[in-house]
Amino acid sequence: MGNDDWNKQRVLEVLREAGVNPTSQRVEIGYALFSSCAHLSAEEIMQRVNADYPVVSKATVYNTLGLFADHSLVREVIVEPGKVFYDPNVSLHHHFYYVDSGELLDIPASALQIDKLPDLPLETEVERVEVVIRLRRCTAH
Amino acid sequence: MGNDDWNKQRVLEVLREAGVNPTSQRVEIGYALFSSCAHLSAEEIMQRVNADYPVVSKATVYNTLGLFADHSLVREVIVEPGKVFYDPNVSLHHHFYYVDSGELLDIPASALQIDKLPDLPLETEVERVEVVIRLRRCTAH
DNA sequence: GTGCGTGCAAATGTTTTGCATTAGT
DNA sequence: ACTAATGCAAAACATTTGCACGCAC
């Protein structure tokens, strides 16, 4: 997943289809994001984009990722204060979070089933159900 | 719930029982936290503690809340980038999050049931399963 | 007096804003 | 030329760190 031959032309098309004007900065950020199948922080994305020479500012990385999130091109995952991960997998799924290492791992939607939801407050509808399973290294042997 | 007659003496005892040295700053912060049944941010807690005159610095609020969390006196709930809520309810439960207003509402553990958990990665154990149901105001009439 | 525990000023890290510049018509 | 969209420097905001002070022995 994720590793299926991304190139900048394809990123450009995906952005256009999503209704995002494909500027060079956005294509670079999208390429860094989609061609990695990992859960990256804004900082890591900027490092990848600017690896050779400065291409985008940090502000643009944040604004662009926010824009991508609005257009469902990426999903923000928050597990710790002051740490947001950007997940290029926008299909329905959940996450393991390794408390010790700070790493994030996908859980396919089919591997977890919620069979009883509480009644919703009036006049509201569910946008999304987020499940994070926090894991730590076994203490018991 | 939460409104059951908190006073500073009782906070002091609770801190002592939890193994936290009950300094005056900690009692003030604990009192602000426990006597409110709401989900407060660090900022809001500081405002309450310092309402009349300066009692604690922001750094102490953060460090103290972190300490309380370590001793299971409070639970950190994270829903948005750069926004942590402190929940004095440390029993097992989940949350509704109102995307529009930024408010948080408790879901009792019994109102939501997960009947299938994924296999855990080797050498790990579950610390906690966090479920956040993101709600938005109905668009449909 | 020594050493540990505590609180906070300052440093760091994260995210947002406002505006100068660019691109589109 | 006028207007809207874009990128980024600087500002705002959130959190952590390092160290000075006070308290217990």
Side-chain angles (χ1 to χ4, degrees):
Chain A
M1 172 257 295
N3 233 346
D4 40 344
D5 272 340
W6 281 97
N7 58 54
K8 292 179 187 174
Q9 179 61 37
R10 185 167 160 219
V11 172
L12 191 146
E13 284 155 16
V14 166
L15 296 190
R16 222 195 295 271
E17 270 164 41
V20 173
N21 189 13
T23 65
S24 66
Q25 286 90 340
R26 290 173 184 173
V27 170
E28 292 296 330
I29 291 169
Y31 181 69
L33 188 67
F34 301 144
S35 66
S36 145
C37 49
H39 299 89
L40 302 173
S41 66
E43 180 64 31
E44 286 164 338
I45 290 170
M46 190 170 88
Q47 278 171 15
R48 286 177 186 226
V49 172
N50 290 350
D52 300 338
Y53 52 91
V55 174
V56 285
S57 69
K58 212 167 196 186
T60 297
V61 172
Y62 275 100
N63 292 339
T64 300
L65 290 169
L67 185 71
F68 285 7
D70 291 343
H71 291 259
S72 300
L73 290 166
V74 73
R75 178 169 148 190
E76 295 180 341
V77 183
I78 308 160
V79 270
E80 292 279 19
K83 181 103 196 168
V84 181
F85 287 104
Y86 292 89
D87 187 346
N89 176 2
V90 292
S91 68
L92 178 64
H93 68 287
H94 304 289
H95 293 100
F96 284 123
Y97 176 63
Y98 292 80
V99 175
D100 306 306
S101 70
E103 266 174 307
L104 213 57
L105 188 67
D106 281 354
I107 302 173
S110 61
L112 186 149
Q113 197 173 334
I114 297 176
D115 73 347
K116 183 170 147 197
L117 270 187
D119 295 335
L120 300 188
L122 289 175
E123 305 284 320
T124 62
E125 59 188 0
V126 174
E127 187 200 69
R128 194 199 308 154
V129 177
E130 299 231 335
V131 180
V132 176
I133 302 182
R134 298 170 61 93
L135 297 177
R136 60 166 170 243
R137 207 149 264 304
C138 276
T139 47
H141 179 250
Chain B
M1 171 255 297
N3 233 348
D4 41 342
D5 271 341
W6 280 97
N7 58 53
K8 293 180 186 175
Q9 179 60 36
R10 184 165 160 221
V11 171
L12 191 147
E13 283 156 17
V14 167
L15 296 189
R16 224 195 293 271
E17 270 165 40
V20 173
N21 189 14
T23 65
S24 65
Q25 286 91 339
R26 289 173 184 173
V27 170
E28 293 296 330
I29 291 168
Y31 181 69
L33 188 67
F34 300 145
S35 65
S36 147
C37 48
H39 300 88
L40 302 174
S41 66
E43 181 64 31
E44 288 164 336
I45 290 170
M46 191 170 88
Q47 278 170 16
R48 287 175 186 228
V49 173
N50 290 350
D52 300 338
Y53 53 92
V55 174
V56 283
S57 70
K58 213 168 195 186
T60 297
V61 172
Y62 276 101
N63 291 340
T64 300
L65 290 169
L67 185 70
F68 284 7
D70 291 343
H71 290 259
S72 300
L73 291 167
V74 73
R75 177 167 148 193
E76 294 180 342
V77 183
I78 306 161
V79 270
E80 291 279 17
K83 182 104 196 167
V84 180
F85 287 104
Y86 292 88
D87 187 346
N89 177 0
V90 291
S91 68
L92 178 63
H93 68 286
H94 304 291
H95 292 100
F96 284 123
Y97 176 64
Y98 291 81
V99 175
D100 305 306
S101 70
E103 266 174 305
L104 213 56
L105 187 67
D106 282 356
I107 301 173
S110 61
L112 187 149
Q113 196 173 333
I114 298 176
D115 74 344
K116 183 169 145 196
L117 271 188
D119 295 335
L120 299 188
L122 289 174
E123 305 283 322
T124 62
E125 60 187 1
V126 174
E127 186 200 70
R128 194 199 310 155
V129 178
E130 298 233 337
V131 180
V132 175
I133 302 183
R134 298 170 62 93
L135 297 177
R136 60 166 172 243
R137 206 149 265 304
C138 276
T139 48
H141 180 251

